[in-house]
């Protein structure tokens, strides 16, 4: 158990809908990263927050957004969902945001868009 | 741009034999390299990382990795494989490109499926 929690574990929804994925980092970790894992794209970086502020954006669609709250938990919002958004979404946390930091991953949320 | 390659989609090993999962990297600047393992329906678990220093890095569950700068490789190894080691293994490199320098998210290889047979 990495200490990173994600809810829900599974999410099934329809095209055009909006969902929110939640991540709680390990105690004391200030950084939260979001990644998407799909069969065709592999594991891809979406976005990074550090202590409440957005630090970097990767291959994140405009329909997706995220935020990190004062208690350091983070939410990833996915809207106008398409079939291709079906994937496993991971969050990872690290103590700070340094390049030598280890990122610890949560169990993921499996999103299925029908 | 930073990248990692895992040339083998699958590696098959008999239990008790040594195993190697290959990874090569391409980075500008210092390479910060990581190995993670993913069991079915689970998240990624950190195994080990190379930052600097000794080229042989020891990690969790008896795994180790050898950093080779001249060959730009970071192969994962274990002297004696267990059936329970069967999983998907990912090599990753830190990517500072979105940050203008330090820090950075991870760039992952496509993964190698390790199958250990009794």
């Amino acid at each position: 158990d990495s200490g990173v929690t994600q809810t829900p574990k599974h999410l099934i929804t329809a095209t055009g809908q909006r969902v929110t994925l939640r991540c709680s980092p390990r105690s004391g970790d200030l950084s939260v990263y979001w990644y998407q894992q799909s069969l065709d794209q592999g594991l891809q970086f979406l976005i990074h927050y550090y202590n409440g502020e957005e630090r970097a954006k990767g291959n994140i669609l405009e329909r997706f957004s995220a935020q990190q709250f004062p208690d350091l938990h983070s939410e990833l919002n996915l809207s106008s969902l398409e079939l291709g958004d079906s994937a496993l979404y991971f969050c990872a946390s690290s103590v700070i945001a340094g390049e030598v930091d280890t990122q610890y991953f949560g169990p993921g949320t499996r999103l299925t868009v029908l | 741009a930073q990248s990692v390659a895992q040339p083998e989609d699958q590696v098959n090993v008999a239990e008790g034999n040594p195993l190697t999962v290959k990874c090569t990297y391409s980075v500008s600047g210092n390479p910060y390299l990581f190995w993670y393992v993913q069991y079915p329906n689970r998240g990624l678990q950190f195994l080990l990382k190379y930052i600097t220093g000794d080229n042989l890095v020891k990690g969790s569950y008896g795994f180790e990795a050898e950093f080779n700068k001249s060959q730009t490789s970071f192969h994962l190894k274990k002297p004696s494989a267990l059936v329970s080691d069967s999983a998907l293994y990912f090599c990753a490199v830190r990517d500072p490109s979105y940050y203008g320098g330090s820090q950075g998210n991870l760039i992952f290889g496509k993964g190698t499926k390790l199958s250990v047979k009794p």
Side-chain angles (χ1 to χ4, degrees), chain A residues 61-110:
Chain A
L61 299 170
E62 285 191 14
R63 301 183 284 109
F64 296 1
S65 64
Q67 52 185 328
Q68 187 179 27
F69 295 86
D71 67 352
L72 301 176
H73 90 272
S74 178
E75 293 180 356
L76 180 67
N77 301 296
L78 314 177
S79 61
S80 303
L81 286 167
E82 302 175 358
L83 295 177
D85 297 328
S86 296
L88 200 47
Y89 291 85
F90 289 109
C91 80
S93 74
S94 66
V95 176
I96 46 175
E99 53 199 349
V100 304
D101 271 2
T102 298
Q103 293 180 23
Y104 293 92
F105 283 73
T109 293
R110 183 170 293 282

Side-chain angles (χ1 to χ4, degrees), chain A residues 98-101, chain B residues 1-4 23-35 48-55 57 66-74 91-96 101 103 105-107:
Chain A
E99 53 199 349
V100 304
D101 271 2
Chain B
Q2 323 285 71
S3 66
V4 291
C23 172
T24 58
Y25 66 89
S26 173
V27 303
S28 54
N30 294 322
Y32 299 111
L33 298 157
F34 301 77
W35 274 103
L48 50 80
K49 66 182 177 184
Y50 173 81
I51 304 301
T52 187
D54 196 349
N55 289 342
V57 179
E66 188 171 7
F67 172 71
N68 188 315
K69 190 172 182 178
S70 62
Q71 297 186 6
T72 61
S73 66
F74 188 55
C91 181
V93 66
R94 193 67 95 173
D95 177 15
Q103 307 171 37
N105 53 284
L106 294 171
I107 291 179

Side-chain angles (χ1 to χ4, degrees), chain A residues 33 35 37 40 43 45 48 55-59 88 90 97-107 110, chain B residues 32 34 36 38 41-46 49 51 88 90 94 96 98-99 101-106 108-110:
Chain A
Y33 301 80
Y35 293 86
Q37 184 180 32
D40 53 345
L43 267 162
F45 166 65
H48 170 210
R55 275 296 177 95
K57 273 185 173 180
N59 298 318
L88 200 47
F90 289 109
E99 53 199 349
V100 304
D101 271 2
T102 298
Q103 293 180 23
Y104 293 92
F105 283 73
R110 183 170 293 282
Chain B
Y32 299 111
F34 301 77
Y36 286 83
Q38 184 178 26
N41 302 312
R42 303 280 297 275
L44 281 76
Q45 293 181 32
F46 169 72
K49 66 182 177 184
I51 304 301
L88 193 54
F90 289 95
R94 193 67 95 173
Y98 294 117
Y99 300 78
S102 65
Q103 307 171 37
N105 53 284
L106 294 171
F108 288 90
K110 292 195 175 298

